[in-house]
Amino acid sequence: MTPMTTQVELAIIERLRLGLGQMAVQVESYGGQLDDDLDLVVRSFPAVWVTFGGITNTRTHGVSRREYSTCARFVVMVGDYNDRNEGGTRMGGPALDEVGSYRMVHAVRRLLSNQDFGLPVDYLKPGRVRTLYNTMLGDRAISVFGCEFDTYWIEEALDCGRWPEPQNSDDPDYLFVQYRGKTDVPYPYLKSVGTAYSLTDAPDGQVAADDIIPLREADNGSDDS
């Protein structure tokens, strides 16, 4: 199974590609493009890049010591340029190809806020918008903004002292099989429960009757339907 960080990032990219239409020349994962030669990068403007911004917080979920709410941040960078003036790169212009970074920020927040993409994550919450670049590059004015979005999902921890116990190739923990990490044999299913009944006036807690209650596979979490 693909890690949740990857699933969310790819879902953001897909939604922006569909939603922005011809507003952006490029919508893809961020791979250090802004660290390259900006003269070359500007040729792909207006551009949108998406990256995982990190885990911002982790806290216990409910009363279980094994479940954690994992708070994650994703950053969408939007960039545009304008040959006419510095204000045009941010505010756009009369021509359709003069989008402007302000419009792109609005479009990104409009498309992503309150979305979960059908994944087991909380709705994306819009956060800060930060200026990354706002400068002249020769005769061109460029501006790049970073739009932050927060979400969370539930992660389950291993029992103390246990190792991962992948069930099949679709299990997220199958990663440890592929890379020859240490794994455990899964716990056996609980097949039955023994019960004992005693009378309140029975001497020394003498058992009056006992019973063995078999459990169906569905009671162990599998689905027979």
Side-chain angles (χ1 to χ4, degrees):
M1 179 182 288
T2 306
M4 189 57 68
T5 48
T6 303
Q7 292 186 58
V8 174
E9 181 174 322
L10 292 177
I12 289 174
I13 292 171
E14 180 63 16
R15 183 168 173 85
L16 291 179
R17 280 178 177 166
L18 292 173
L20 293 175
Q22 297 179 347
M23 196 181 304
V25 173
Q26 181 182 90
V27 182
E28 60 184 35
S29 290
Y30 181 67
Q33 287 90 335
L34 294 175
D35 297 328
D36 295 334
D37 186 345
L38 287 180
D39 284 316
L40 297 177
V41 176
V42 167
R43 297 177 186 177
S44 65
F45 279 11
V48 177
W49 302 295
V50 182
T51 188
F52 173 53
I55 301 295
T56 58
N57 192 17
T58 303
R59 53 182 180 268
T60 54
H61 175 72
V63 297
S64 172
R65 296 181 58 184
R66 293 186 57 193
E67 290 188 336
Y68 295 88
S69 294
T70 302
C71 304
R73 177 165 295 160
F74 293 84
V75 182
V76 180
M77 289 166 277
V78 302
D80 199 6
Y81 77 94
N82 194 287
D83 289 326
R84 293 187 299 106
N85 56 65
E86 186 270 337
T89 186
R90 290 176 286 108
M91 301 177 190
L96 283 178
D97 60 355
E98 295 180 293
V99 182
S101 52
Y102 286 175
R103 289 177 182 169
M104 295 178 70
V105 167
H106 166 78
V108 165
R109 286 167 62 89
R110 182 68 170 159
L111 290 171
L112 297 182
S113 297
N114 204 42
Q115 302 300 313
D116 66 5
F117 318 108
L119 298 173
V121 301
D122 192 39
Y123 301 120
L124 258 62
K125 177 182 177 182
R128 297 186 304 170
V129 176
R130 297 180 294 125
T131 301
L132 303 181
Y133 281 94
N134 190 17
T135 187
M136 295 295 298
L137 187 66
D139 295 332
R140 290 175 170 175
I142 67 169
S143 66
V144 181
F145 289 88
C147 308
E148 297 179 355
F149 295 88
D150 290 339
T151 185
Y152 75 85
W153 55 81
I154 305 301
E155 288 186 350
E156 185 173 334
L158 297 171
D159 285 336
C160 184
R162 291 284 293 180
W163 300 93
E165 43 193 65
Q167 309 273 340
N168 51 57
S169 59
D170 293 327
D171 192 312
D173 282 344
Y174 192 72
L175 168 76
F176 298 97
V177 174
Q178 292 177 300
Y179 289 94
R180 300 178 182 271
K182 183 174 175 60
T183 58
D184 259 330
V185 176
Y187 288 125
Y189 283 133
L190 180 64
K191 297 181 178 180
S192 62
V193 175
T195 61
Y197 308 93
S198 61
L199 303 176
T200 56
D201 57 351
D204 301 324
Q206 181 177 346
V207 175
D210 57 23
D211 196 6
I212 301 295
I213 304 174
L215 298 178
R216 300 173 303 159
E217 288 187 5
D219 296 328
N220 286 294
S222 62
D223 188 359
D224 292 333
S225 59

